Amino acid sequence: MNGTYRHRTCKAAVAAIVLIGLLSIAPSSHAQESRTSETRTPDPRNQEQRNQEPRNQPQPASADQQKEHEPTPVPPEKPSVTHHEMTLNGKALKYTATAGTLVIRDEDDKPYGSIFYVAYTLDGTESKSRPVSFLYNGGPGSATLWLHMGSFSPVRVMTDSPKPTAGPPFQVVSNQDSLLDKTDLVFIDAPLTGYSRAVGKGQPKDFTGVDQDLHAFDRFIVRYISVNQRWNSPKFLIGESYGTTRSAALADMLGNDGVQLNGVVLISSILNYNIRAGGYDLLYIGNLPSYAAAAWYFDKVQNKPADLGAWVQQAREFASGPYAHALFAGDALPAAELDSVAKEVSRFTGLSTDYVKETNLRISPGRFRKEVLRDQRLTLGRYDMRFEGEDLDAAGENPSYDASDSGISGAFIAALHNYLETDLNYQTTDEYKPSAGSIGLWDWKHRPTSGGPGQSPGGEQAQPYVAADLASAIRKNPHLHVFSANGYFDLATPFYVTEYDVSHMDLPAELRGNIQFGYYPSGHMIYLNVDALHKLRADLEKFIADAQK
């Protein structure tokens, strides 16, 4: 089942409709599944809050960063162009790497952003009709060094995952899982990250929001395909984490601008930011199959089945059945049913029945990561539960850090710096920013360009629900294909929540086959498991080919 390329009708998710369908209209929450938080949330340095936030937590903007300021000089677009060779799948490839910036303009046609990118184009091909893919990480507020140095570019950095990676010198190798033989690749750093900057009269507030960010990416992609004469190329979006939020809405926005996409790849998805609304239980249901996967990995399952996929399917069925029913009952749950469900939760998670009861059947991700290996004084990573950490205080409530973050960050950041400066010869006096320091005032409101459930076009959402945007894009472009890649051990964007969101897109029957799923024995950054990367690369090779038919 791992890494399969197929359309999947998730019976468990469908069964959950009867029990928890009303939960999808939960009111807004300020706890975000993102790489930042609103200013209305607790201080991100607070440990409980940090355990709910993804990688590269940026700090709030200072007051002077948000003030009106003198126009910033618009830098020239002077790319560094270098030429390289690699052998991929036994075939010699020559390619060109272009590292540079493109200036984007606002609705008044004034320059307001300079966006950094690295493009890899295969030599000796007809570029005007060759596929081109746009790749980016998420956050919001994360640069694209993770996908760039870990996934499908011609090079990747070696790590010791799931163990902490040893110190420098780090090894960057020719990437035998690159997609360069199938598509040109354009890695984009989000505004205010990497070497991307606000310019002219542009200010951080022009980029620090769901729709502000979407407009910047829309304008960059349109400008890139115009400058490089790629309008007739098959086009793909490949986003990770918040990058999937961006992709889902961007697919509809680009389509409305006349940019027809062939495919969208969602890696570790979050498509609905309302899921953490207080008083609703969908997130607990969505997390349980991921807990079961981690319990299986760490041998916390009695009579452990040989197949992870089959075990996870049992967890799906329990989560959407007896577990969902028990949570839906709330305080009216009979004692006998509480006992029965608690025992089953214990069986799937490896936690004691008493502990499950003490949590009222509702186990937060932080508590699970702290509790499941407490007897060994170990904690689990959040992005990737295969990573183990060790806290000073073994009696605490939540892990004090994310081992799956600290275990790889140094290698990726150092490798990216060295690679840009030496291999790509990109010279600048600017600081490369792995995360945006002024993202703290992020505007979470979203106005879908094509409307959404129960609202007219232009109606505002308090927080983004972009599964509806993606559904709109598919309805208008029935040739658009979507591939959802999911790590079993990802607790930042659990796969069962993604399945729920996709199964509630209200697509007509004839378009549901446009969406395929892949599952991998890895975490949020699927490519950290090299075996999973092999499978993902094979799945995407087929996906890219099929999406051009």
Side-chain angles (χ1 to χ4, degrees), residues 423-435:
D423 293 69
L424 301 191
N425 196 31
Y426 189 78
Q427 305 298 323
T428 179
T429 57
D430 284 350
E431 173 193 1
Y432 188 91
K433 297 182 178 180
S435 63

Side-chain angles (χ1 to χ4, degrees), residues 75-361:
E77 298 176 341
K78 290 185 178 179
S80 172
V81 179
T82 53
H83 301 281
H84 309 263
E85 292 186 41
M86 70 179 301
T87 300
L88 184 59
N89 297 321
K91 183 179 179 180
L93 301 180
K94 293 184 178 181
Y95 65 94
T96 298
T98 304
T101 58
L102 287 178
V103 173
I104 58 173
R105 294 174 176 269
D106 61 18
E107 60 275 9
D108 297 321
D109 200 33
K110 302 294 185 183
Y112 81 115
S114 175
I115 307 300
F116 180 73
Y117 70 97
V118 177
Y120 299 98
T121 54
L122 193 63
D123 296 344
T125 61
E126 180 52 60
S127 63
K128 293 181 181 180
S129 59
R130 188 169 192 266
V132 58
S133 297
F134 299 93
L135 302 93
Y136 36 78
N137 279 102
S142 173
T144 303
L145 72 158
W146 315 103
L147 279 174
H148 191 174
M149 300 306 295
S151 63
F152 310 118
S153 83
V155 300
R156 67 178 181 88
V157 62
M158 301 285 284
T159 72
D160 299 326
S161 303
K163 297 181 181 300
T165 298
F170 301 111
Q171 187 178 5
V172 175
V173 299
S174 178
N175 185 9
Q176 293 305 295
D177 293 297
S178 175
L179 284 170
L180 184 59
D181 58 337
K182 304 303 175 184
T183 175
D184 291 340
L185 303 164
V186 184
F187 293 86
I188 309 166
D189 280 340
L192 312 183
T193 75
Y195 292 127
S196 297
R197 299 289 187 267
V199 299
K201 291 189 176 181
Q203 299 181 58
K205 66 181 178 62
D206 297 321
F207 303 102
T208 54
V210 175
D211 291 350
Q212 296 91 318
D213 173 89
L214 284 170
H215 285 297
F217 271 83
D218 177 89
R219 288 162 178 161
F220 173 86
I221 290 173
V222 169
R223 178 149 169 72
Y224 181 89
I225 62 179
S226 295
V227 169
N228 294 280
Q229 299 181 321
R230 304 305 296 265
W231 278 96
N232 205 39
S233 293
K235 301 172 190 67
F236 296 85
L237 305 180
I238 303 178
E240 179 180 279
S241 194
Y242 182 85
T244 66
T245 310
R246 180 185 294 128
S247 289
L250 190 57
D252 199 36
M253 182 177 286
L254 284 168
N256 292 340
D257 288 343
V259 180
Q260 183 167 340
L261 299 173
N262 295 72
V264 176
V265 177
L266 308 173
I267 301 175
S268 305
S269 300
I270 176 163
L271 304 177
N272 186 356
Y273 270 81
N274 297 278
I275 194 171
R276 292 186 182 276
Y280 295 90
D281 294 318
L282 182 58
L283 189 58
Y284 300 108
I285 297 165
N287 284 341
L288 191 131
S290 297
Y291 297 160
W296 181 93
Y297 182 83
F298 287 104
D299 296 321
K300 290 290 184 177
V301 177
Q302 293 184 358
N303 302 316
K304 175 181 173 179
D307 183 64
L308 172 59
W311 171 247
V312 165
Q313 180 58 25
Q314 292 181 44
R316 284 189 184 96
E317 293 170 0
F318 169 71
S320 63
Y323 184 54
H325 183 272
L327 297 185
F328 188 79
D331 294 341
L333 183 68
E337 188 175 351
L338 170 62
D339 290 342
S340 173
V341 171
K343 289 178 182 178
E344 281 296 281
V345 173
S346 173
R347 184 172 76 89
F348 280 109
T349 64
L351 304 174
S352 72
T353 302
D354 287 342
Y355 184 84
V356 172
K357 285 185 176 181
E358 289 169 359
T359 67
N360 297 319
L361 304 179

Side-chain angles (χ1 to χ4, degrees), residues 12-32:
V14 172
I17 297 174
V18 176
L19 299 175
I20 55 177
L22 293 177
L23 300 184
S24 63
I25 58 172
S28 301
S29 164
H30 301 319
Q32 301 301 329

Side-chain angles (χ1 to χ4, degrees), residues 288-493:
L288 191 131
S290 297
Y291 297 160
W296 181 93
Y297 182 83
F298 287 104
D299 296 321
K300 290 290 184 177
V301 177
Q302 293 184 358
N303 302 316
K304 175 181 173 179
D307 183 64
L308 172 59
W311 171 247
V312 165
Q313 180 58 25
Q314 292 181 44
R316 284 189 184 96
E317 293 170 0
F318 169 71
S320 63
Y323 184 54
H325 183 272
L327 297 185
F328 188 79
D331 294 341
L333 183 68
E337 188 175 351
L338 170 62
D339 290 342
S340 173
V341 171
K343 289 178 182 178
E344 281 296 281
V345 173
S346 173
R347 184 172 76 89
F348 280 109
T349 64
L351 304 174
S352 72
T353 302
D354 287 342
Y355 184 84
V356 172
K357 285 185 176 181
E358 289 169 359
T359 67
N360 297 319
L361 304 179
R362 294 164 176 83
I363 305 158
S364 69
R367 283 181 167 179
F368 178 80
R369 293 168 49 219
K370 184 73 172 182
E371 184 68 21
V372 69
L373 296 184
R374 191 187 291 272
D375 59 342
Q376 302 173 50
R377 297 182 67 93
L378 297 174
T379 64
L380 306 189
R382 180 169 177 264
Y383 293 115
D384 192 329
M385 289 185 285
R386 298 175 305 140
F387 285 73
E388 301 171 20
E390 187 168 355
D391 287 342
L392 174 64
D393 178 9
E397 183 76 1
N398 293 282
S400 63
Y401 68 101
D402 183 354
S404 59
D405 184 357
S406 61
I408 54 99
S409 292
F412 272 80
I413 293 171
L416 186 279
H417 275 275
N418 188 66
Y419 175 66
L420 290 179
E421 294 165 5
T422 59
D423 293 69
L424 301 191
N425 196 31
Y426 189 78
Q427 305 298 323
T428 179
T429 57
D430 284 350
E431 173 193 1
Y432 188 91
K433 297 182 178 180
S435 63
S438 59
I439 213 84
L441 300 178
W442 191 262
D443 177 7
W444 286 101
K445 295 187 292 295
H446 174 47
R447 291 180 180 270
T449 55
S450 299
Q455 65 181 51
S456 60
E460 188 173 84
Q461 299 172 356
Q463 296 191 56
Y465 169 58
V466 294
D469 298 68
L470 184 58
S472 174
I474 294 172
R475 289 190 196 95
K476 287 181 287 189
N477 175 14
H479 300 287
L480 179 63
H481 289 252
V482 176
F483 187 86
S484 173
N486 304 270
Y488 281 125
F489 308 118
D490 176 9
L491 201 50
T493 56

